[in-house]
Amino acid sequence: MNDNSKYISLKLDESQFEKIFKTHFQSLCYYANTFLKDLDNAKEIVHDVFINFWEKREKIDINKPVKSYLYTSVHNRCLNYIRDHKKFNYSIERIEDLSFNPAAEQSDILIVEELKQKIDDILKMLPEKARKIFELSRFEGLKYQEIADELGVSVKTVEANMSKALKLFRENLKDYIGLLVVLIDLLLTLKKML
Amino acid sequence: MNQQNQHSEIFDLLNRYFAGEAIESELKRIDSWLNESDENKAAFNQYKLLWNNLEKYRIAKIVDVNKEWEVFKSRTSTAKTFTLPKQSTTIFNKFTRIAAAIILFIAVGGLGYYLINNIGNKKYYAKNTINEIALPDHSKITLNKNSKIIVAKDFNKEKREVKLIGEAYFEVKSNGKPFIVRTSDIEIEVVGTSFLVNSVKNADAIEVVVNTGIVSVTQLNKPANKVILKKGEKAYFRKKSKELKKLKNTDINFISWKTKKLIFKNDKLTKVVKTLNKIHHANIQIKNVEIKNCRLTASFVDQSLESILKVIENTLDIKVEKKNNIIYLSGKGCE
């Protein structure tokens, strides 16, 4: 069975690759989405990065930080995409920083289960209309005008309901998020020490 | 009280910003507010954290990691064997077993690899559902119902050639090699772009609509009969007269069947009915002339025909009656 040597010489085998893929895919999508504000294209870019990584896997040393390689690749592709498609989101360029800064995203877990649960609970607390409007905006990605058209209300109503929803989130998540940031930082420091 | 008002005013402004709804003047205001103090900057970053977590929540809910892994594997395997899919998702389920078998096979024998690579033209079908296909060059084809794609045996060697019968939306990745779509009468060539081809068998014309990039459309064996299209343009080839025309695309809903999004911006009812009949395969007829000029502004995301008609009923004060599979619209009319 000498042909097995071909298999062993691969530095990164499929199951290791699968682990890396499944660990980082969602977080990388989130990261790409912060630049593109477009989840479909963000997903495609992350797929491209992994395909590229897969094709180069024999040359990559898995003892080097794979995560920073992945984030850097995604970052570069996003910038190229924005440039090529002149998808000039004025607000991003002006108010936020487009430079490479995944520091906040270094956690492997995109969102801890507890926080996910908390957000579920808060959503249930919202009155039907506000919840529906919030979900159409944040989860379906509709613009305020589109939501207004769809529900047959004015844009002002949409805005008022969004304000209502966000106020509820602000009030109920304020301490929570602060605490979680501290926790995640602690976990990372511990991880580095071990 | 003034503090409170100012407070909520800032939040409203920031809400608009994070939701992507802020206009130029509002962006300027936020910018100057940020530059006022470090406290403002800190407050901004904290609020941003909240929005970020809501976004993370959304992505965690929408992105199915296991499904994406299957998609990834289907794109990186060296060969594909497909059976007529019942539902587009089952391809990937059947596929993981085949993929695993193939990878093992290759590891064991190089001869096997050679054989798999020369199976022949690969065919893809969509019957009653829409089928999404990932090609070896990472391009994507979305096949509409009752359509068929045949991928050339030497796809991605020096060029990338496919044959289309029916309707499909192409998203072609740039890799330097020309991507060619052949239909019964015309061929379409691109390098990296996204566009729609409608070449249904018994229709008397073939249409190509470009979404992004540049596309050239040529009559088969008649290189002089050619048009070059860019974003927002459409080619219309009449089969009988062999006439190839370039037009502006006025149909914003040309890929609604794929995106499931229908957008009407002050469109006449006649246009709305025409679009609905096409996308939902319905037979809607306008009973009286008075309502023909009623205009509709609405967006529908993945809505059934019933719910869309309900919206039309309510917003335009129109009566919807169904008789023998024909839907009749009638009403008093609009201003």
Side-chain angles (χ1 to χ4, degrees):
Chain A
M1 273 292 236
N2 261 335
D3 281 318
N4 270 338
S5 63
K6 210 190 284 178
Y7 214 51
I8 295 166
S9 73
L10 292 173
K11 280 213 159 151
L12 196 66
D13 70 18
E14 195 187 301
S15 69
Q16 283 177 300
F17 196 91
E18 180 173 352
K19 217 183 218 147
I20 294 173
F21 183 96
K22 288 186 173 173
T23 305
H24 296 289
F25 192 84
Q26 277 182 342
S27 299
L28 286 167
C29 280
Y30 168 76
Y31 184 60
N33 195 49
T34 59
F35 295 106
L36 305 180
K37 303 284 198 230
D38 175 349
L39 188 56
D40 283 331
N41 279 310
K43 267 207 277 179
E44 276 311 300
I45 281 185
V46 177
H47 265 291
D48 284 346
V49 166
F50 273 110
I51 288 170
N52 196 261
F53 182 40
W54 173 254
E55 285 167 357
K56 289 194 171 132
R57 69 193 182 283
E58 294 186 41
K59 303 180 189 139
I60 290 178
D61 181 0
I62 53 170
N63 292 314
K64 288 227 183 86
V66 166
K67 189 152 68 172
S68 61
Y69 168 79
L70 292 172
Y71 275 92
T72 311
S73 300
V74 169
H75 180 254
N76 289 336
R77 278 175 196 257
C78 285
L79 291 189
N80 289 341
Y81 184 90
I82 292 173
R83 185 199 61 208
D84 292 344
H85 292 73
K86 292 203 164 75
K87 228 182 169 174
F88 213 94
N89 194 334
Y90 175 70
S91 62
I92 293 185
E93 293 260 323
R94 169 87 159 263
I95 292 176
E96 301 187 56
D97 191 3
L98 269 187
S99 67
F100 186 60
N101 179 27
E105 275 62 56
Q106 280 301 331
S107 168
D108 280 1
I109 310 162
L110 179 63
I111 182 169
V112 294
E113 196 54 44
E114 274 184 39
L115 184 55
K116 220 197 270 184
Q117 192 52 57
K118 189 84 180 134
I119 295 176
D120 278 336
D121 293 342
I122 296 171
L123 281 170
K124 289 195 189 111
M125 275 164 66
L126 282 170
E128 177 74 25
K129 195 181 202 174
R131 186 184 55 81
K132 186 92 192 115
I133 288 175
F134 180 81
E135 284 179 358
L136 284 174
S137 167
R138 299 292 79 223
F139 302 159
E140 305 272 342
L142 294 188
K143 294 255 143 195
Y144 285 178
Q145 183 61 60
E146 290 171 335
I147 298 172
D149 293 339
E150 167 125 353
L151 299 180
V153 298
S154 68
V155 174
K156 278 230 157 12
T157 304
V158 173
E159 288 208 35
N161 277 280
M162 284 297 288
S163 285
K164 198 188 231 170
L166 283 156
K167 186 156 184 237
L168 201 64
F169 276 109
R170 271 200 316 269
E171 288 162 359
N172 285 280
L173 286 181
K174 188 173 58 180
D175 301 318
Y176 216 92
I177 290 186
L179 187 65
L180 276 173
V181 170
V182 171
L183 273 175
I184 288 171
D185 274 342
L186 265 173
L187 282 169
L188 285 173
T189 337
L190 282 171
K191 235 190 184 177
K192 283 191 193 138
M193 290 199 292
L194 293 171
Chain B
M1 200 46 186
N2 216 0
Q3 264 281 25
Q4 264 283 40
N5 280 345
Q6 214 188 29
H7 213 211
S8 78
E9 211 205 305
I10 287 294
F11 274 124
D12 285 343
L13 207 61
L14 291 178
N15 286 343
R16 286 178 62 80
Y17 167 72
F18 285 118
E21 303 275 342
I23 55 177
E24 178 76 29
S25 58
E26 289 168 333
L27 293 174
K28 288 201 173 115
R29 281 200 58 205
I30 294 175
D31 210 15
S32 57
W33 174 78
L34 277 175
N35 288 321
E36 270 171 32
S37 68
D38 281 340
E39 283 85 31
N40 288 354
K41 288 202 181 81
F44 176 86
N45 286 326
Q46 260 214 332
Y47 201 43
K48 185 170 155 185
L49 201 60
L50 170 64
W51 278 85
N52 286 350
N53 276 288
L54 290 173
E55 187 64 10
K56 287 182 184 180
Y57 172 88
R58 174 177 84 112
I59 289 178
K61 287 245 158 175
I62 292 179
V63 176
D64 179 348
V65 170
N66 292 320
K67 175 170 169 250
E68 298 300 333
W69 172 247
E70 300 303 328
V71 170
F72 175 80
K73 282 205 288 184
S74 77
R75 287 181 181 178
T76 53
S77 74
T78 49
K80 284 191 191 357
T81 51
F82 269 66
T83 50
L84 212 70
K86 280 225 174 96
Q87 248 191 295
S88 39
T89 47
T90 58
I91 302 170
F92 302 122
N93 294 330
K94 276 189 190 156
F95 193 68
T96 36
R97 278 183 275 129
I98 298 168
I102 290 172
I103 289 170
L104 202 63
F105 191 49
I106 291 170
V108 165
L111 180 67
Y113 180 92
Y114 174 79
L115 285 176
I116 287 169
N117 231 19
N118 284 283
I119 278 176
N121 294 336
K122 288 140 202 159
K123 300 189 177 88
Y124 301 80
Y125 308 82
K127 269 222 123 162
N128 296 314
T129 54
I130 293 168
N131 191 5
E132 244 184 47
I133 301 160
L135 294 175
D137 64 326
H138 315 147
S139 293
K140 196 158 88 170
I141 304 179
T142 309
L143 272 183
N144 201 354
K145 300 182 188 178
N146 299 314
S147 301
K148 179 166 141 185
I149 280 273
I150 302 171
V151 180
K153 207 158 65 167
D154 58 340
F155 184 86
N156 215 17
K157 286 258 160 66
E158 269 154 23
K159 56 178 163 58
R160 303 172 279 172
E161 206 177 308
V162 305
K163 190 166 171 188
L164 167 72
I165 298 158
E167 184 173 32
Y169 182 74
F170 296 82
E171 292 164 275
V172 176
K173 285 250 162 8
S174 249
N175 73 357
K177 302 177 201 172
F179 191 106
I180 301 164
V181 181
R182 281 184 171 237
T183 63
S184 54
D185 302 72
I186 58 174
E187 74 177 28
I188 299 114
E189 190 177 318
V190 305
V191 177
T193 116
S194 58
F195 58 98
L196 170 85
V197 181
N198 190 343
S199 167
V200 172
K201 213 170 184 186
N202 294 316
D204 31 23
I206 303 176
E207 283 183 346
V208 181
V209 183
V210 177
N211 195 27
T212 62
I214 296 179
V215 167
S216 93
V217 180
T218 321
Q219 183 186 348
L220 288 178
N221 300 317
K222 284 239 150 50
N225 197 7
K226 172 180 176 162
V227 292
I228 300 199
L229 308 172
K230 53 186 206 291
K231 177 178 176 152
E233 290 182 342
K234 172 164 109 168
Y236 191 84
F237 176 85
R238 212 178 271 281
K239 288 186 193 175
K240 261 211 178 120
S241 64
K242 306 279 189 249
E243 191 190 328
L244 183 59
K245 264 201 298 212
K246 178 158 94 168
L247 308 158
K248 255 214 152 54
N249 179 39
T250 52
D251 185 13
I252 195 177
N253 294 314
F254 72 99
I255 40 169
S256 289
W257 56 266
K258 174 187 142 60
T259 59
K260 302 284 179 233
K261 236 185 186 162
L262 270 174
I263 299 172
F264 296 112
K265 278 206 170 94
N266 207 33
D267 290 318
K268 279 200 189 158
L269 189 63
T270 41
K271 184 172 180 184
V272 174
V273 165
K274 190 169 167 200
T275 306
L276 290 177
N277 282 339
K278 176 171 179 232
I279 303 289
H280 287 273
H281 305 287
N283 187 355
I284 306 170
Q285 296 189 17
I286 298 177
K287 226 175 172 179
N288 59 312
V289 225
E290 285 82 357
I291 57 170
K292 273 195 174 164
N293 293 318
C294 284
R295 286 179 182 271
L296 181 72
T297 301
S299 300
F300 302 101
V301 179
D302 211 358
Q303 295 287 315
S304 67
L305 183 60
E306 281 71 31
S307 58
I308 296 176
L309 287 172
K310 255 214 169 68
V311 171
I312 294 177
E313 237 184 335
N314 291 325
T315 36
L316 302 177
D317 207 8
I318 281 178
K319 192 159 96 168
V320 176
E321 280 176 315
K322 194 166 180 186
K323 266 191 208 150
N324 303 326
N325 282 328
I326 303 180
I327 300 169
Y328 295 99
L329 303 181
S330 54
K332 280 185 245 167
C334 311
E335 244 78 61

